[in-house]
Amino acid sequence: SFAASSSTVYTATFTPTDDSTTDGVISVASSKFSNSAGNENADGSSSDNTLTLGVDTVRPTLSSSTPADNSTTVTTASNIVLNFSEAVDVESGNIVIYKSSDDSPVETFNVASSGLISGSGSTQITINPSSDLEEQTQYYVQIAATAFDDSAGNSYAGINDTTSLSFTTADETAPILSSSTPADNATAVATTSNIVL
């Protein structure tokens, strides 16, 4: 069923009847259209009357991340960067950072409304936590299976375990001198004294 939007443009909507993973071909049978001179369209087997449609059923996958899984000495101010196998769009659902020691959620990002997630429409999604993480702490990230789709509507499978994307933050606190022998401003120190820090 074609609807005319102009004298030269007709639009029809096709809905696949199965989950075929192969390319499909749409053709127009002969004598369905004619011009003002009465010339009718050729048979659908003609390449001029055939449209080949590519079917994409491949889900995007996570090809790498920063920090990488099992990374250590990750800076506490780091963003989390997700690199996908193809461009993805932000859809719905949450990304959650958990503390591994007690599985407590540290921060939850609603992908559809959070201003802390960028990169929709590209292969790289960046998550910018609203505050720095704790030092010397292990974390893991979970991602909803509805969070990202490719242009064909195939969804990234997400992460729902504690091990696929985990990392440990660095020790960023510089040591300080708590005491010394002799103490600061000490007097009458023996000339043979050692200095103990």
Side-chain angles (χ1 to χ4, degrees), residues 152-184:
N154 301 306
S155 296
Y156 168 58
I159 298 174
N160 61 5
D161 58 58
T162 63
T163 59
S164 292
L165 182 50
S166 64
F167 58 89
T168 303
T169 51
D171 177 358
E172 297 176 340
T173 301
I176 60 173
L177 183 63
S178 56
S179 65
S180 66
T181 302
D184 184 35

Side-chain angles (χ1 to χ4, degrees), residues 15-168:
T15 302
T17 57
D18 58 30
D19 294 324
S20 174
T21 58
T22 58
D23 291 346
V25 176
I26 295 174
S27 61
V28 179
S30 60
S31 304
K32 295 298 180 183
F33 297 95
S34 62
N35 61 17
S36 58
N39 300 309
E40 296 180 340
N41 69 284
D43 183 73
S45 61
S46 165
S47 60
D48 292 337
N49 293 288
T50 301
L51 175 64
T52 301
L53 301 178
V55 179
D56 179 2
T57 60
V58 178
R59 289 175 178 248
T61 59
L62 188 64
S63 53
S64 66
S65 66
T66 303
D69 183 36
N70 295 323
S71 292
T72 57
T73 66
V74 175
T75 59
T76 58
S78 294
N79 289 336
I80 298 172
V81 180
L82 307 174
N83 297 303
F84 289 93
S85 58
E86 58 180 311
V88 294
D89 295 315
V90 168
E91 296 297 330
S92 64
N94 294 331
I95 297 173
V96 185
I97 302 174
Y98 293 90
K99 186 182 293 187
S100 298
S101 60
D102 59 4
D103 297 317
S104 60
V106 174
E107 187 163 6
T108 300
F109 307 86
N110 183 321
V111 297
S113 61
S114 174
L116 302 175
I117 296 176
S118 60
S120 183
S122 73
T123 60
Q124 187 174 88
I125 299 294
T126 300
I127 305 162
N128 180 14
S130 59
S131 59
D132 291 353
L133 302 174
E134 296 178 18
E135 295 181 40
Q136 296 180 281
T137 304
Q138 185 178 47
Y139 297 93
Y140 63 88
V141 178
Q142 293 190 341
I143 303 173
T146 56
F148 303 108
D149 285 358
D150 66 13
S151 60
N154 301 306
S155 296
Y156 168 58
I159 298 174
N160 61 5
D161 58 58
T162 63
T163 59
S164 292
L165 182 50
S166 64
F167 58 89
T168 303

Side-chain angles (χ1 to χ4, degrees), residues 8-19:
T8 59
V9 177
Y10 290 77
T11 302
T13 300
F14 296 87
T15 302
T17 57
D18 58 30
D19 294 324

